[in-house]
Amino acid sequence: MQRLEGTLAEAIGQSNRQRLAWSALLAMPLLVPVALPGMASAVGVFSLLIAAGLLYGRPLPLPAWLARRRVDGRARTLLQRMNEAAIRTMTKLGRPRLLFLSTPANRRVNALLLATAALAMITPVPVISFDNVLPALAIVLLSWGLLLRDGLMLLAGYLLTLLAASSVLLLWWGGAALAGELISLTGLVP
């Protein structure tokens, strides 16, 4: 990962590998159910942008208004420390294995699964406060799995992506069914 100097576009870099590292790094704080409001949506949109870049085989540019932003001193120091700790930890856990899952032939599958995890993170789920933990963990595992060519991490990321998407669909279906029941109990709808 590059040093955090200059604009956000310069710090994030121009390669999908650099952006995958950022996606994982930004999703890691969401593994704890208490996060800043709107953070999950921002990380989800960023991960969706990276997934689209993987799908098309080249990184997509950041929106100009975001690319021009500068990283301030305190945020730069904090992100640099988090980055170094994450890299140390993940390189100890991960290693190249089940390499066929991280080959260019599977690029589209991995991109679609990363996009699915990002969409699960972006989708608001009412009432549930820990709804972003599963998609965040999926994004972390998929990103690091691709970076380290660790098929075991990728498999775990695939499973968590399916669980995250299923839980979002189930919560929306259950919420819609509950709302329908409540409306019918009030007698407002025949």
Side-chain angles (χ1 to χ4, degrees):
M1 205 180 282
Q2 294 180 336
R3 287 277 179 214
L4 296 171
E5 304 296 330
T7 65
L8 197 56
E10 292 167 343
I12 289 172
Q14 296 301 316
S15 76
N16 280 329
R17 290 189 58 77
Q18 291 169 314
R19 290 179 176 198
L20 280 167
W22 276 104
S23 180
L25 181 67
L26 293 173
M28 286 174 128
L30 295 168
L31 298 177
V32 179
V34 179
L36 297 172
M39 185 174 174
S41 296
V43 171
V45 168
F46 183 67
S47 296
L48 196 56
L49 181 71
I50 293 166
L54 287 172
L55 192 63
Y56 293 118
R58 59 182 164 72
L60 298 181
L62 291 176
W65 62 271
L66 184 61
R68 289 190 301 263
R69 298 214 34 154
R70 298 190 81 69
V71 181
D72 75 357
R74 288 188 321 188
R76 180 178 29 244
T77 303
L78 177 65
L79 285 170
Q80 198 69 45
R81 272 193 249 138
M82 286 174 50
N83 170 29
E84 290 164 2
I87 288 174
R88 272 193 311 272
T89 302
M90 296 311 285
T91 53
K92 286 179 186 174
L93 296 174
R95 63 183 178 277
R97 54 188 161 190
L98 301 173
L99 295 175
F100 68 94
L101 293 173
S102 60
T103 62
N106 286 326
R107 185 186 79 223
R108 290 192 195 308
V109 171
N110 290 321
L112 291 173
L113 284 162
L114 183 60
T116 302
L119 287 171
M121 182 175 285
I122 294 168
T123 305
V125 178
V127 184
I128 307 295
S129 64
F130 56 87
D131 62 318
N132 293 317
V133 174
L134 284 177
L137 187 53
I139 288 171
V140 167
L141 289 170
L142 290 170
S143 297
W144 282 111
L146 287 168
L147 283 169
L148 299 172
R149 299 205 61 209
D150 189 333
L152 193 56
M153 278 189 191
L154 285 171
L155 282 174
Y158 297 168
L159 178 63
L160 284 167
T161 298
L162 294 174
L163 285 172
S166 298
S167 69
V168 167
L169 290 172
L170 184 62
L171 288 169
W172 271 100
W173 173 79
L178 179 63
E181 273 301 310
L182 291 174
I183 290 171
S184 70
L185 286 174
T186 62
L188 296 174
V189 178

